[in-house]
Amino acid sequence: MAGQGLPLRVATLLTGLLECLGFAGVLFGWASLVFVFKIERYFEELCERNAGLTGNATLIGNVTGQTDCKAQDERFSLIFTVASFMNNFMTFPTGYIFDRFKTTVARLIAIFLYTSATLTIAFSSAGSALLLFLAMPMLSIGGILFLITNLQVGNLFGKHRSTIITLYNGAFDSSSAVFLIVKLLYEQGISLRTSFIFFSVFSVWHVGRTFLLMPRGHIPFPLPPNYRYGLCSGNDTREEEKTVEPKKRELVSKEFLSPKEEIPDPGQQKELRPFWRYAFSRRFAWHLVWLSVIQLWHYLFIGTLNSLLTNLAKGDRGLVSTYTNAFAITQFFGVLCAPWNGLLMDRLKQRYQKKAKKTGSSASAVVLCSTVPSLALTSLLCLGFALCASIPVLPLQYVTFILQVISRSFLYGGNAAFLTLAFPSDHFGKLFGLVMTLSAVVSLLQFPIFTFIKGPLQNNPFYVNVMLVLATLLTFVHPFLVYRECQREEGPPAVA
C-alpha cells in the first residue's frame, strides 16, 4: 500500500462504512417503520371492525388481536416482499451498469433513486399510502447500488480484502437499525416527514463522496503500486486505468500465489473464461441454493415480524414495541459480527497459502479452502435461528434476534467474499447481480407463505416452519461440495 495515498484510502474506507451503515440497508428495519405506519393509520381502512372489538382497535395497531387487521398486515407484507425482491432482482442490471459504466454513473443513479424514495415517503400520508409500493423498492435499489460500489474499496487494502468486504456487508445489515431511530424520534414528537427530509438532504454528501473519494472507474485487484483515484487522479477514468498494467499486476499478485504459479506464462495469464461458463457451473448453482434458502428465512422473518410479535404478545402494544426495539438494536451489531467472518477467511487463506508453498498446491485451492468454514458456519447459524423462530415462546425471541443478526451478517458478507474469491473479479458485478436476482425469485415465496399461514393454517406456522427447517439442512451441501472440490484441486501438484 502506497504510503502517500494512505489518508485518502482510509477516508474512502471510513466514509464508505458510514454510507453503508446509515443508508444502504435501511429497508430491513421494516418492522420499526411498520409500527409507525400503523400509528399513522396507513391502510387502516383494510381493518375489519368485528363486533367483539373496541372502537379504537385499529388505531393502536391490533391491540385486541391480529385477525381484525389481517388485510392490513398482508398489505405491509406485500410491500416488503416487493421491495426486498427488487433489492435482489435489480442487482443484476445494476451490477451490469456498474461493470459497464463504472462507479460514478452507478452512484449517481443510486443517489437519484434514494433521494426520490425518501422524498416520496416524506410527503406520503395515510391517504396516499400506496406510494409506499413505489418508494420502498426505489429505496432498496438505491441502497444495494451504494453497497455494490463500496465493496470494491476492499481492493485498496490487499490482504485485508475479505475483512473489509464483510465489514461493509455487516454495515449494510446494521443500517436496518436506522428505522429504529426514526421510530424513537417519532415517539419523541419528530414527524416521519422531518426524518425523511433529513435523509433527502444527505444526498449532497453522497454526491460529494462520489466525486472526491471514489474512483470514476473501478478499483483494480491486485492494486498497482502507483494507483491513483478520486482527489489524487485529477483526470478521467482513463487516467486511473493507465495505472493498471499487466506487468505490475503480475508483480503485486506474487504474494497471493504459490511458488509454482508466481510467474504464469503469457497465454496462461489471460485465461479468463466467458461469464456464462461460470454462471452455469455447479459451484455457482449450489451457492445460489445456499443463499436463496437462508435469505428466504430472513426475509420471511423480517417481513412478518410485526404480525408475529403481535400474535405472541396477544395484542399488547407495549410488548410489541419493546420487542421491536430489541430486534432493531440487535441489528445494529451486525457491523461488529460480519468482520469476524472476513477475519476467519483471511486467516485461513494465509494458513493455506503457507501450506501451498510447501506442497505446491494451486492458488485456486487456497482460496476455496478458506471459504468452507464460513459457508458451513453460516448454515449452522441459520439452522439455530430457524429452530428458535419456530418455537412460539415470546422471551425466546431475544435469542432468535441474536442468532438472526449473526446469521444474516455472515450470510451477505460470506456471499460477497465467496464470489470475489471463487470467481474472477472481472465478472464480480455480473455474478453478484445474477445470484441476487435469482435468489430474489425465491424470496417472492414469502408473501404466499405469509398468506397461507394467515389463511388456511389459521396463524399456526408449524408445518411451514418444519418444511423451511428441512430446506435449511439442504444448505450444508454447498460447503461440503466446495470442500470436495478444494481437496481435488489441492491434491497432486499441477503439471505444466
Side-chain angles (χ1 to χ4, degrees):
M1 188 184 300
Q4 60 184 8
L6 183 59
L8 177 65
R9 295 179 192 190
V10 171
T12 301
L13 171 67
L14 295 179
T15 55
L17 186 64
L18 178 61
E19 189 169 76
C20 290
L21 188 61
F23 303 92
V26 292
L27 169 70
F28 298 99
W30 181 243
S32 298
L33 205 57
V34 166
F35 190 87
V36 176
F37 283 147
K38 284 187 173 183
I39 297 176
E40 287 284 306
R41 300 173 181 267
Y42 280 56
F43 303 117
E44 187 184 60
E45 69 279 2
L46 298 176
C47 292
E48 297 176 5
R49 296 178 181 272
N50 297 331
L53 301 175
T54 60
N56 65 340
T58 57
L59 171 64
I60 60 177
N62 298 349
V63 168
T64 56
Q66 72 269 29
T67 53
D68 58 313
C69 285
K70 181 178 73 173
Q72 184 192 37
D73 287 336
E74 288 180 353
R75 182 63 57 86
F76 282 123
S77 177
L78 181 59
I79 292 171
F80 180 78
T81 300
V82 172
S84 58
F85 169 76
M86 295 301 289
N87 178 76
N88 288 5
F89 184 79
M90 289 302 293
T91 47
F92 185 58
T94 53
Y96 175 79
I97 290 170
F98 175 57
D99 284 348
R100 176 70 179 82
F101 299 104
K102 316 288 192 242
T103 302
T104 299
V105 173
R107 286 184 60 81
L108 290 176
I109 293 172
I111 294 165
F112 170 76
L113 290 172
Y114 205 93
T115 306
S116 300
T118 51
L119 286 173
T120 302
I121 298 171
F123 292 99
S124 68
S125 63
S128 57
L130 288 174
L131 286 174
L132 295 180
F133 279 101
L134 174 66
M136 299 313 295
M138 286 197 299
L139 193 72
S140 66
I141 297 169
I144 199 66
L145 259 174
F146 281 144
L147 177 63
I148 290 175
T149 56
N150 277 307
L151 287 178
Q152 62 182 327
V153 173
N155 294 348
L156 295 173
F157 296 90
K159 292 181 180 179
H160 304 291
R161 187 184 182 205
S162 297
T163 304
I164 290 170
I165 288 171
T166 52
L167 178 68
Y168 273 26
N169 277 275
F172 179 88
D173 295 337
S174 294
S175 64
S176 56
V178 169
F179 282 163
L180 168 64
I181 298 173
V182 172
K183 173 181 176 288
L184 294 176
L185 289 174
Y186 180 85
E187 291 172 344
Q188 296 301 315
I190 306 297
S191 69
L192 204 61
R193 176 170 297 181
T194 301
S195 294
F196 278 92
I197 287 177
F198 175 79
F199 282 128
S200 304
V201 171
F202 235 88
S203 61
V204 176
W205 181 76
H206 296 306
V207 172
R209 184 170 181 273
T210 298
F211 289 104
L212 299 178
L213 295 175
M214 293 294 286
R216 291 178 174 84
H218 293 143
I219 300 175
F221 184 82
L223 199 68
N226 63 339
Y227 177 70
R228 298 185 300 163
Y229 71 96
L231 286 169
C232 292
S233 65
N235 292 324
D236 59 3
T237 309
R238 288 170 293 179
E239 176 65 24
E240 293 174 3
E241 292 181 346
K242 281 179 185 176
T243 63
V244 189
E245 300 169 10
K247 288 184 180 178
K248 289 171 184 172
R249 276 200 182 204
E250 184 180 318
L251 290 172
V252 177
S253 62
K254 277 188 179 182
E255 60 180 307
F256 297 97
L257 301 177
S258 65
K260 291 210 171 216
E261 295 175 335
E262 279 187 358
I263 307 174
D265 297 328
Q268 193 180 5
Q269 192 173 357
K270 195 65 180 175
E271 195 182 347
L272 181 66
R273 292 191 295 172
F275 162 71
W276 292 110
R277 289 284 299 276
Y278 296 104
F280 286 111
S281 65
R282 186 181 72 169
R283 185 188 298 179
F284 183 81
W286 275 104
H287 185 68
L288 173 64
V289 172
W290 177 84
L291 174 66
S292 299
V293 172
I294 298 176
Q295 180 176 258
L296 178 61
W297 254 117
H298 288 287
Y299 280 8
L300 184 64
F301 184 75
I302 294 169
T304 61
L305 181 62
N306 183 268
S307 176
L308 170 69
L309 292 178
T310 303
N311 185 36
L312 293 179
K314 303 191 185 315
D316 187 327
R317 182 185 169 197
L319 270 178
V320 173
S321 179
T322 299
Y323 277 83
T324 300
N325 292 350
F327 173 73
I329 290 170
T330 58
Q331 297 304 293
F332 179 77
F333 291 96
V335 71
L336 302 179
C337 300
W340 290 103
N341 194 14
L343 285 169
L344 173 66
M345 285 189 281
D346 283 338
R347 281 283 188 179
L348 287 171
K349 188 163 61 175
Q350 291 170 22
R351 176 184 165 189
Y352 287 127
Q353 280 170 352
K354 291 178 183 177
K355 182 180 177 182
K357 287 180 181 179
K358 296 178 182 178
T359 62
S361 303
S362 67
S364 57
V366 169
V367 295
L368 272 181
C369 288
S370 68
T371 64
V372 173
S374 168
L375 296 172
L377 183 58
T378 304
S379 295
L380 187 63
L381 285 167
C382 180
L383 182 62
F385 150 64
L387 290 172
C388 289
S390 302
I391 301 173
V393 176
L394 190 58
L396 184 62
Q397 300 316 303
Y398 286 122
V399 179
T400 305
F401 297 161
I402 294 170
L403 290 174
Q404 189 270 340
V405 70
I406 299 174
S407 171
R408 185 164 173 257
S409 62
F410 270 51
L411 173 66
Y412 291 110
N415 171 50
F418 179 80
L419 292 175
T420 59
L421 295 172
F423 299 97
S425 59
D426 302 64
H427 296 313
F428 171 74
K430 294 183 286 292
L431 286 171
F432 182 80
L434 181 62
V435 76
M436 297 300 281
T437 298
L438 295 177
S439 66
V441 177
V442 179
S443 74
L444 287 174
L445 290 172
Q446 62 184 295
F447 182 68
I449 288 174
F450 179 73
T451 306
F452 185 60
I453 292 172
K454 283 285 187 179
L457 294 183
Q458 297 180 341
N459 273 335
N460 182 9
F462 175 76
Y463 296 106
V464 169
N465 289 339
V466 169
M467 294 302 295
L468 288 174
V469 167
L470 292 176
T472 304
L473 294 175
L474 189 65
T475 65
F476 286 94
V477 175
H478 180 41
F480 174 74
L481 291 178
V482 172
Y483 175 75
R484 289 280 302 273
E485 190 177 349
C486 162
Q487 291 295 100
R488 282 200 302 271
E489 291 191 22
E490 197 179 37
V495 180

